[in-house]
Every structure is written in structure tokens, then in C-alpha cells.
């Protein structure tokens, strides 16, 4: 049983803002170009923002009170993620969007009729928003710097227990990072339905050339049976992997 969750209609992509700090401008530009043809619903928007130490100081109004005592890095990541989210929402046509608040399970609260996802790397944050499909839209996004080769080899068995690393004709660090990022994306997309943290073994990688899909290795919910397959859109640029899953939530099987 396969559900690719890809739809026609490429996204608009917001590139670097005028005040994006070097050296992140080139990274954001490369990622924006690479993600320009990501498959997502019409009206979808993706935007990037650099994680800057001074952004926490200059945009303190974005930080909620619950993060007042958070570590500086956490504040910087939060601000960058929310700035990327605001850029994506504006690019999608919302004239004056509110900063997405922190809701249940610490998930962002998106405007009515929209669904979004935010991810952070070490230097870059990214956000995506898409029109919700009658409340049934699923969406997951992940951004991961490519792992060092030694770390990838150390983590391969736990991140991808279903296969031997290095068998896809690409550097092992890229392969393992792609699988890790894909599984993170899947977990984020399905969490609102599952409300549980899953192990990496709960989904297995399926390669078709350079394309990567994930199959559930156990039932996740009534509508998410073992064997259900999800195609993950991925782009690799500037030493970073971006993964996206968007589509309509599957129906529970009829009895």
C-alpha cells in the first residue's frame, strides 16, 4: 500500500533577506534554489532564515515568556524559526500574520486554514506553510547538516537498522543523513495523529535510485497500518539536507 503524498504545484521560495549575515547568505541562496521545485500543494511556501546571536536581542518581542530563561542558543533558534515562519506566511499571501505561538506538545500554532512546520540546523532555520485540506493536511519538514563521515558510520546501525550503509552509490555520510532527516520528517508529519515518539526502527528506508521513501514497520495508528509507504521529498545543497513530506492524511481502513 503506497501513498506518496506529493501533489502538483511547486512552492514559492523566500531567499535570504537583505540583513542575512555572512556566511549564511550563500547557504540560504543555495538552499532556496535547490528547494524551488519541491512538490507541495499549490500555495505552499518555504522560507529560510539564519540563526544569528544578535537576532535574539533585536527581536525580543518574538520570544514568549516561557522561554525567558532558556539558553541563548535555544532563543536564537526559536527566533530564527519564527522569522522563517513569518516570511513563509507572508509569501503565501497573509498580509500581517501573527508569530506562531507555542501550543499543545510545544507545536507551533498556525493561522486557521494553514498548516506549517519548522526545523533548525546549526546555522539555518527553515519553515514551510501549506493550505490545510479540510483539517486533514499532514506536513513534516526537517533540515540537517550532513554528518561527518565518522559520526555517520557510528550511527548507521541505529538510524538505519534495516539496511547496510553505503549501498546506494553515494557517500555514506549523505546517505545516513538523508535517512535520518527523512525519518525525522515522517515522525513530525505524523505526530499530530500519533502523539507518541517512535523509534527509528518504526520505519524502514526504501530506495528507488536516488529517491527515498519510508515504510511503516509497525502500526502507528488505525489509519497508519504497518506497510504504509510515504515518499519523502529531499534536496541536498551547501552541505545541508532538506526533507519534506506533505499530503492528505490517509483514511482508516474500512472494516
Amino acid at each position: 500500500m503506497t501513498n506518496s503524498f506529493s501533489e502538483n504545484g511547486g512552492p514559492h521560495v523566500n531567499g535570504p533577506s537583505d540583513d542575512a549575515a555572512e556566511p549564511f547568505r550563500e547557504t540560504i541562496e543555495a538552499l532556496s534554489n535547490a528547494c524551488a521545485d519541491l512538490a507541495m500543494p499549490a500555495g505552499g511556501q518555504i522560507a529560510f532564515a539564519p540563526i544569528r546571536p544578535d537576532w535574539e536581542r533585536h527581536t525580543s518581542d518574538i520570544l514568549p515568556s516561557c522561554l525567558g530563561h532558556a539558553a541563548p542558543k535555544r532563543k536564537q533558534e526559536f527566533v530564527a524559526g519564527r522569522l522563517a515562519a513569518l516570511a513563509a506566511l507572508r509569501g503565501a499571501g497573509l498580509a500581517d500574520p501573527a508569530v506562531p505561538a507555542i501550543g499543545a506538545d510545544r507545536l507551533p500554532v498556525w493561522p486557521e486554514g494553514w498548516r506549517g512546520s519548522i526545523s533548525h540546523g546549526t546555522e539555518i532555520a527553515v519553515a514551510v506553510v501549506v493550505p490545510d485540506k479540510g483539517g486533514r493536511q499532514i506536513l513534516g519538514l526537517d533540515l540537517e547538516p550532513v554528518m561527518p563521515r565518522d559520526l555517520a558510520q557510528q550511527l548507521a546501525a541505529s538510524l538505519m537498522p534495516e539496511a547496510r550503509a553505503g549501498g546506494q552509490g553515494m557517500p555514506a555520510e549523505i546517505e545516513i543523513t538523508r535517512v535520518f532527516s527523512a525519518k525525522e520528517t515522517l515522525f513530525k508529519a505524523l505526530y499530530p495523529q500519533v502523539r507518541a515518539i517512535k523509534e527509528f526502527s518504526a520505519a524502514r528506508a526504501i530506495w528507488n535510485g536516488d529517491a527515498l521513501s519510508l515504510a511503516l514497520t509497525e502500526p502507528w495508528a488505525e489509519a497508519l497500518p504497518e506497510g504504509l509507504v510515504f515518499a519523502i521529498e529531499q534536496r541536498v545543497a551547501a552541505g545541508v539536507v532538506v526533507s519534506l513530506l506533505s499530503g492528505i492524511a490517509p483514511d482508516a481502513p474500512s472494516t
Side-chain angles (χ1 to χ4, degrees):
M1 183 176 183
T2 301
N3 196 325
S4 69
F5 291 119
S6 63
E7 302 181 32
N8 294 328
H12 297 289
V13 180
N14 274 3
S17 60
D18 291 340
D19 59 353
E22 298 293 354
F24 307 139
R25 175 178 291 277
E26 291 184 1
T27 300
I28 292 176
E29 194 170 84
L31 289 170
S32 298
N33 291 335
C35 292
D37 63 346
L38 279 173
M40 67 173 74
Q45 179 85 23
I46 189 169
F48 298 87
I51 298 173
R52 293 173 47 169
D54 59 335
W55 278 27
E56 181 266 320
R57 177 165 52 87
H58 292 308
T59 57
S60 59
D61 56 312
I62 289 180
L63 288 168
S65 58
C66 64
L67 292 182
H69 297 290
K73 182 64 171 174
R74 168 63 177 136
K75 294 179 180 180
Q76 294 156 20
E77 291 175 346
F78 183 91
V79 168
R82 263 30 183 207
L83 288 171
L86 288 174
L89 288 167
R90 292 189 187 106
L94 281 73
D96 189 23
V99 176
I102 299 176
D105 293 341
R106 305 190 69 79
L107 297 176
V109 178
W110 300 97
E112 184 177 356
W114 292 87
R115 189 172 293 273
S117 187
I118 299 172
S119 185
H120 314 93
T122 55
E123 301 172 342
I124 304 295
V126 61
V128 64
V129 295
V130 300
D132 204 345
K133 302 290 186 179
R136 299 187 59 217
Q137 181 73 33
I138 63 171
L139 186 68
L141 176 71
D142 186 68
L143 182 152
E144 296 290 340
V146 174
M147 300 177 189
R149 178 179 292 269
D150 290 348
L151 178 61
Q153 291 174 339
Q154 292 173 19
L155 298 179
S158 59
L159 296 179
M160 193 174 64
E162 64 274 12
R164 177 182 62 84
Q168 302 305 317
M170 67 185 74
E173 61 270 26
I174 292 180
E175 178 185 352
I176 296 303
T177 304
R178 286 186 60 185
V179 171
F180 173 67
S181 182
K183 291 187 177 184
E184 287 287 307
T185 300
L186 177 69
F187 299 156
K188 291 170 71 173
L190 300 184
Y191 183 81
Q193 294 175 266
V194 178
R195 298 290 176 177
I197 304 299
K198 292 291 186 177
E199 299 293 335
F200 285 108
S201 59
R204 63 181 177 86
I206 302 173
W207 292 95
N208 182 9
D210 190 50
L212 177 60
S213 298
L214 296 176
L216 305 187
T217 60
E218 60 187 57
W220 284 32
E222 185 179 2
L224 301 170
E226 179 181 353
L228 188 63
V229 177
F230 298 85
I232 309 296
E233 288 272 326
Q234 291 187 310
R235 301 293 182 270
V236 183
V240 175
V241 174
V242 177
S243 301
L244 174 72
L245 182 131
S246 68
I248 305 302
D251 294 321
S254 57
T255 56

